[in-house]
Amino acid sequence: MVALLLLVGIAVAVFVGFNIGGSSTGVAFGPAVGSDTIGKTGAAALMSAFALIGGWTAGREVITTMSDGIVNVSFTLAASVAILFFVGFALLISNLFGVPASTSMTAVGAIAGMGAAIGELDLEKMGEIVTWWFVAPILAFWVCAMIGRYLYPYLASSFPLGTGESSDTAERIGQFLVIAIGCYMAYSAGASNVANAVAPLVGANELSANNGVFLAGGAIALGAFTIARRTLDTVGNDLTDLPLLASLIVEVVSASLITFLSFIGIPASLAVSATMSIVGLGWGRATRTTTISEAATKAVEGQGIEDPDEEPAEAGVAMSALNADEPGKDVAPIGEEEPDELNASDLFDPRATGRVIMLWVATPSISAGASYALFSTVDLL
């Protein structure tokens, strides 16, 4: 019976890693595949290699946190399987709603629910994790907002990235950057996500941390070579309205933030940070039409507030205004750019963003609640 339960646990862990590989490969290498810089097989190979490196170097810290840092009790095999099922359920919800829910946040929620149910939750560690959950996306937003407002137009004007009108040298540089940053994103995904697949089994002493990294890495590779082919198509095509430079900035900022958190053992969401980076970059770009003093004056006077009955921007248009910056084009000073070129409603849809954030909050909350209910009524420890 124990051997069968272990096989079930490993199967669920592989399922989680498989889905992580399928979704993360599209996020990391969608720009490279969409711009025909690299093929899908090459993207899958690079994803597999760098996710494993990320899991081995930084991911073990996150495994340690999730396996014995959140609750003051050892996992049992039955409890581990239950936690992994909650993570798999989060992936299902994410797919049904079409929103990249955080498996990291959901896994932590399930573990926290178990700890609260049995009175063994480490409140200090949990408080540190939750604090970073708020700080990380806010930081991602503001870093990209400052880049969008002050640096993005100059970067777009000065550094063409492999466009048809660029020189051979510029094209090669662009191709190198797209692939290199994709590898960095894959590294970050491995660092933050291997724990989601195997931490409960490591906590139950059914796997060592090293073996867990290899198991998760193999499952991520399996997903990268199979279901990721579809997500690469989807992400690559969807990014046609998001300029290549913008997507590279988003990837560097979000991957750097999550890699840092992984090294200090904090499980956090790459998808959340990447999305808030996109929102911040667009918002910062849109604010170039007005100076800070003008914006403050309008805010005090109640001007410049969008009509709540106005229809939100259509999907696929949300970042297209970033294309207003073209290689070689002179950059207008802040406050002198034409508002028509930078429509804030095209760059930032607060209602759509609100729906995504609501699901991010709801998914770990549901996971924690369901876990609490299960461990309160059934003794699995």
Side-chain angles (χ1 to χ4, degrees):
M1 182 65 183
V2 173
L4 177 61
L5 194 58
L6 177 59
L7 287 176
V8 172
I10 291 175
V12 178
V14 170
F15 171 77
V16 172
F18 174 78
N19 280 277
I20 290 170
S23 59
S24 298
T25 304
V27 174
F29 290 99
V33 172
S35 61
D36 294 325
T37 302
I38 192 174
K40 294 177 184 177
T41 301
L46 290 175
M47 179 71 198
S48 303
F50 281 91
L52 180 60
I53 295 171
W56 184 261
T57 56
R60 287 181 293 180
E61 297 297 327
V62 185
I63 290 176
T64 299
T65 296
M66 293 179 64
S67 61
D68 61 18
I70 297 176
V71 293
N72 302 316
V73 65
S74 297
F75 286 81
T76 63
L77 182 56
S80 301
V81 173
I83 295 297
L84 288 171
F85 268 115
F86 284 122
V87 179
F89 179 72
L91 292 171
L92 175 62
I93 294 296
S94 172
N95 290 330
L96 288 176
F97 283 91
V99 175
S102 169
T103 51
S104 295
M105 295 169 68
T106 303
V108 170
I111 295 171
M114 178 188 75
I118 62 176
E120 296 290 346
L121 179 64
D122 188 329
L123 293 177
E124 182 178 352
K125 175 57 71 173
M126 194 63 202
E128 181 185 2
I129 292 171
V130 172
T131 297
W132 275 111
W133 283 356
F134 283 99
V135 171
I138 292 173
L139 189 59
F141 175 90
W142 281 109
V143 168
C144 284
M146 294 300 99
I147 292 173
R149 180 174 171 85
Y150 297 108
L151 296 179
Y152 183 86
Y154 298 97
L155 294 174
S157 177
S158 303
F159 301 103
L161 290 174
T163 63
E165 300 175 355
S166 63
S167 67
D168 291 340
T169 300
E171 185 171 358
R172 284 194 293 271
I173 292 173
Q175 290 173 343
F176 171 78
L177 287 175
V178 170
I179 294 175
I181 293 173
C183 292
Y184 183 37
M185 197 77 165
Y187 174 89
S188 177
S192 63
N193 281 316
V194 293
N196 298 325
V198 298
L201 293 177
V202 173
N205 295 316
E206 298 294 341
L207 288 175
S208 67
N210 291 348
N211 290 337
V213 169
F214 283 116
L215 176 64
I220 290 173
L222 182 63
F225 276 100
T226 53
I227 58 173
R229 303 183 75 85
R230 177 171 294 181
T231 60
L232 282 167
D233 277 335
T234 301
V235 175
N237 292 332
D238 287 348
L239 284 174
T240 54
D241 287 328
L242 180 63
L244 187 56
L245 174 62
S247 66
L248 296 183
I249 291 172
V250 166
E251 290 188 347
V252 169
V253 171
S254 57
S256 298
L257 185 57
I258 297 303
T259 298
F260 163 73
L261 293 178
S262 297
F263 270 111
I264 64 173
I266 301 295
S269 172
L270 183 62
V272 171
S273 294
T275 302
M276 292 309 294
S277 294
I278 292 173
V279 173
L281 188 64
W283 183 85
R285 186 67 187 91
T287 63
R288 284 186 59 84
T289 60
T290 182
T291 62
I292 292 178
S293 59
E294 290 172 343
T297 301
K298 289 181 179 180
V300 170
E301 296 176 353
Q303 300 176 15
I305 301 175
E306 294 185 13
D307 184 356
D309 295 326
E310 182 182 352
E311 288 297 319
E314 295 181 5
V317 182
M319 295 293 291
S320 61
L322 286 167
N323 283 307
D325 297 304
E326 300 172 355
K329 180 181 178 181
D330 291 335
V331 178
I334 291 176
E336 296 183 13
E337 294 195 33
E338 291 297 327
D340 290 341
E341 288 187 357
L342 299 171
N343 191 335
S345 64
D346 288 344
L347 289 160
F348 174 55
D349 181 358
R351 276 178 280 186
T353 304
R355 287 194 297 270
V356 171
I357 293 175
M358 237 165 84
L359 187 57
W360 287 340
V361 173
T363 306
S365 300
I366 292 172
S367 175
S371 178
Y372 181 87
L374 174 64
F375 287 97
S376 295
T377 56
V378 181
D379 185 9
L380 296 177
L381 293 169

